[in-house]
Amino acid sequence: FEVGVPEEPMQFFNFSSSLFTTLNDEKQAIEGTPRRLEPSPCLNMTRLLGLRFCGQLSLPIGYRDLHSPFYPLSGPASYSISMQRTDPKLTKYQLLAERLSTEDENRYDVIATMSTPGATWERNFDTNVTLWLKEDGKLFTLSTGALGTKFGTFEAIYNNNTHALNLTYSAKDAVYGH
């Protein structure tokens, strides 16, 4: 199937708070402290996805002012996350998935690919997923890669007897596990 990419920036999440006082049915906004924490970081994923994700945070800082209350009563706050297309020729993601046949009826192997046909940079990602339901536990693995480069493998093993969960992520030169 295909997923379209919006031409205009798109907001995923927007949270804001406003403070008011009410006296005799009159509402008056509380401006709060003038000092604010207002970072606006962006994660540029142009080469990987053709997108940029940005966050915006605005928090009042009233802890050093002896005459203002502590957060959340020190003024309005807001937080938002948005996405913007950075590859001008990117119009869609094409997703294909295929389940492979296995000899074990409790094992499920799936190969999925994602591509961006017609984009400035042709992106092709491959993912292999395995779910194996054994008598003594369950095994889940996920590995991804692109252009012959393996990004890494995530593996989760659950033991039905001990209820232990072993999580491992391995990349080219490192293995992380718990």
Side-chain angles (χ1 to χ4, degrees), residues 3 9 12 26 46 111 127 139 142 166:
V3 177
F12 284 120
E26 278 190 44
T46 298
I111 293 178
T127 302
L139 168 71
L142 174 93
N166 183 16

Side-chain angles (χ1 to χ4, degrees), residues 6-167:
E7 292 181 21
E8 298 298 319
M10 185 173 111
Q11 197 167 61
F12 284 120
F13 178 79
N14 187 2
F15 165 82
S16 63
S17 67
S18 301
L19 298 174
F20 295 92
T21 60
T22 306
L23 180 63
N24 297 330
D25 291 333
E26 278 190 44
K27 255 183 166 179
Q28 186 174 15
I30 297 174
E31 295 296 322
T33 181
R35 289 190 57 220
R36 303 190 70 75
L37 174 66
E38 297 185 317
S40 298
C42 288
L43 178 60
N44 190 354
M45 301 188 78
T46 298
R47 295 289 277 191
L48 189 63
L49 296 174
L51 302 170
R52 176 175 48 225
F53 297 92
C54 293
Q56 186 175 14
L57 176 69
S58 179
L59 286 174
I61 301 176
Y63 62 87
R64 289 189 180 169
D65 185 356
L66 297 176
H67 301 292
S68 67
F70 289 109
Y71 182 79
L73 301 175
S74 53
S78 65
Y79 177 66
S80 66
I81 298 176
S82 61
M83 175 189 80
Q84 181 178 5
R85 181 180 71 169
T86 54
D87 184 341
K89 294 183 180 178
L90 177 64
T91 58
K92 63 184 172 186
Y93 293 103
Q94 192 172 52
L95 305 166
L96 301 170
E98 177 184 356
R99 180 173 177 212
L100 304 175
S101 60
T102 60
E103 293 179 13
D104 188 341
E105 64 182 29
N106 293 323
R107 181 178 172 139
Y108 304 92
D109 290 332
V110 176
I111 293 178
T113 60
M114 182 199 76
S115 62
T116 56
T120 303
W121 294 288
E122 182 69 27
R123 298 164 184 89
N124 291 302
F125 299 101
D126 299 315
T127 302
N128 298 327
V129 178
T130 299
L131 176 62
W132 198 352
L133 307 172
K134 301 178 182 182
E135 281 198 30
D136 62 341
K138 297 162 185 63
L139 168 71
F140 174 79
T141 61
L142 174 93
S143 61
T144 60
L147 301 172
T149 303
K150 187 176 176 182
F151 294 150
T153 301
F154 172 77
E155 182 176 82
I157 301 172
Y158 177 75
N159 186 309
N160 288 341
N161 300 324
T162 63
H163 302 291
L165 178 63
N166 183 16
L167 302 174

